[in-house]
Amino acid sequence: MFHHFVSFTFCIFTTKHPYTCRNCSSNNYTFYKLLKKKYQYYPEQIESQEDKKLLAQLNKDLPRTRANVPFFKNKANLKKDSPETNYDVIKRILFFFSKEHKISYIQGMNELIAIIYYIFYNDDNPFFTKYVESDTYYCFSALVEEIEPIFHLSDASFSQLFINLQIKQINDLMAKCEPEIFKYLKDIDLSIDNFAIKWIMVLFAQEFKIDVAVNFWDRMFTQKNKMKFICFISVAILKKNKDKIIGKEFDDVAVWFKEMGNNINKMDINEIIDRKSVV
């Protein structure tokens, strides 16, 4: 069912490595095994306070990630006796990632990696079965590298500046393409900033049901500039839902923005993406 979507994750890092997809997976799998050996103390023998804090944050965030999708609570491999769930595997990947990269785990990364893992795990091509965990690790790493400014906790001002620039682009696009919406939001003194931060940080991962998100990401990863794509999609969604905004009271519009994910899932995502082209 999902094999046609897997290309999006591979295209992230095959452009950075001169290998075929098969060689990429094989080489990454070999190196990932070394990571497992390097961190063989995980999770039973974690001693450092830093690692304990990281694990505590992962244990807090992951059960809330796609909590309505049973897949993540299921055993990671029904053929094995291991009690590991898919949440457990994702937690291990994020732990390794945090140890190996200058940018450690922060909230929001859980939403990004969940979609990548879900795609690889559910692909109907048997080739990917062996490499689910290692492919997820490397594709997630490449994605974070690409959108690195979002997660720059070491320089929060730089991260905030980057996010603010994207929000400004959304507002500028709205002012140009949907001036009526832009003016009305100003009239009722409602800023989209707080809502747009989430759209930008997790690339709309939280706004769509999982299968809709997969479809959306498949289209997004064909774009050279993903942030620009997110900005255009944001305005396209507002354009599509003009009647939910214009003429409504502040509280009603604020609630609509807050629950926008549920509203979006009632729309045709392909129609939203097509509408983006006329924004």
Side-chain angles (χ1 to χ4, degrees):
M1 175 180 178
F2 287 91
H3 69 278
H4 52 295
F5 293 118
V6 171
S7 61
F8 95 83
T9 37
F10 270 118
C11 80
I12 300 174
F13 68 91
T14 50
T15 57
K16 303 175 186 295
H17 299 277
Y19 305 113
T20 63
C21 289
R22 185 174 296 276
N23 284 336
C24 272
S25 286
S26 179
N27 291 339
N28 290 338
Y29 176 74
T30 299
F31 188 79
Y32 191 77
K33 282 175 34 176
L34 296 176
L35 288 184
K36 283 188 172 183
K37 186 175 182 180
K38 181 178 180 180
Y39 301 111
Q40 58 184 332
Y41 62 85
Y42 168 88
E44 291 83 3
Q45 298 174 317
I46 285 181
E47 295 181 352
S48 79
Q49 290 303 311
E50 181 182 350
D51 287 353
K52 287 180 179 179
K53 184 178 179 181
L54 169 60
L55 191 58
Q57 188 63 49
L58 291 171
N59 285 332
K60 179 181 178 181
D61 290 347
L62 283 172
R64 299 183 298 189
T65 307
R66 296 287 177 178
N68 61 335
V69 181
F71 163 80
F72 293 102
K73 300 187 184 90
N74 293 343
K75 282 190 176 183
N77 193 329
L78 297 178
K79 296 179 181 178
K80 294 181 180 179
D81 295 329
S82 171
E84 271 195 339
T85 66
N86 289 310
Y87 276 135
D88 293 325
V89 177
I90 293 174
K91 180 166 62 176
R92 178 168 57 240
I93 299 171
L94 287 171
F95 183 86
F96 290 173
F97 170 85
S98 297
K99 298 296 290 182
E100 290 291 308
H101 292 76
K102 62 180 179 179
I103 297 180
S104 185
Y105 169 79
I106 67 170
Q107 196 173 45
M109 290 181 176
N110 51 314
E111 299 291 344
L112 300 176
I113 198 171
I115 296 181
I116 296 173
Y117 179 82
Y118 179 81
I119 291 171
F120 276 122
Y121 191 100
N122 289 285
D123 193 276
D124 56 10
N125 186 333
F127 164 73
F128 294 110
T129 304
K130 179 180 180 180
Y131 303 115
V132 171
E133 188 170 344
S134 54
D135 278 344
T136 299
Y137 174 86
Y138 282 97
C139 288
F140 172 72
S141 299
L143 173 58
V144 172
E145 179 182 337
E146 183 174 351
I147 60 175
E148 179 179 341
I150 292 175
F151 300 112
H152 245 298
L153 280 187
S154 60
D155 188 350
S157 60
F158 175 75
S159 178
Q160 190 61 54
L161 175 62
F162 178 82
I163 292 172
N164 287 343
L165 285 173
Q166 312 313 313
I167 294 174
K168 182 179 184 304
Q169 185 173 356
I170 293 174
N171 279 310
D172 288 348
L173 278 170
M174 183 166 46
K176 179 181 179 181
C177 304
E178 285 299 321
E180 189 178 359
I181 296 177
F182 181 77
K183 181 179 182 303
Y184 188 76
L185 290 177
K186 286 195 71 173
D187 289 345
I188 63 174
D189 198 25
L190 192 153
S191 169
I192 68 164
D193 294 17
N194 291 335
F195 308 105
I197 287 174
K198 185 173 70 169
W199 308 341
I200 293 163
M201 285 195 68
V202 296
L203 309 177
F204 275 106
Q206 285 183 302
E207 303 303 326
F208 303 122
K209 292 179 181 177
I210 189 77
D211 291 343
V212 177
V214 169
N215 185 11
F216 176 74
W217 274 32
D218 188 51
R219 299 283 291 274
M220 180 181 69
F221 275 88
T222 65
Q223 307 295 316
K224 185 176 181 180
N225 189 328
K226 296 172 185 57
M227 283 295 111
K228 187 175 182 180
F229 181 78
I230 292 296
C231 292
F232 272 87
I233 288 296
S234 300
V235 179
I237 290 172
L238 299 180
K239 180 182 180 74
K240 170 71 175 174
N241 292 276
K242 201 173 197 177
D243 62 324
K244 307 291 194 311
I245 300 171
I246 302 296
K248 306 297 182 182
E249 298 292 333
F250 175 96
D251 289 344
D252 293 332
V253 179
V255 168
W256 183 85
F257 272 106
K258 187 177 181 180
E259 300 177 352
M260 195 177 74
N262 294 329
N263 297 316
I264 291 175
N265 286 305
K266 297 174 184 177
M267 307 176 215
D268 182 348
I269 187 60
N270 293 312
E271 182 184 346
I272 293 174
I273 293 172
D274 292 340
R275 187 177 290 266
K276 181 262 322 177
S277 63
V278 297
V279 168

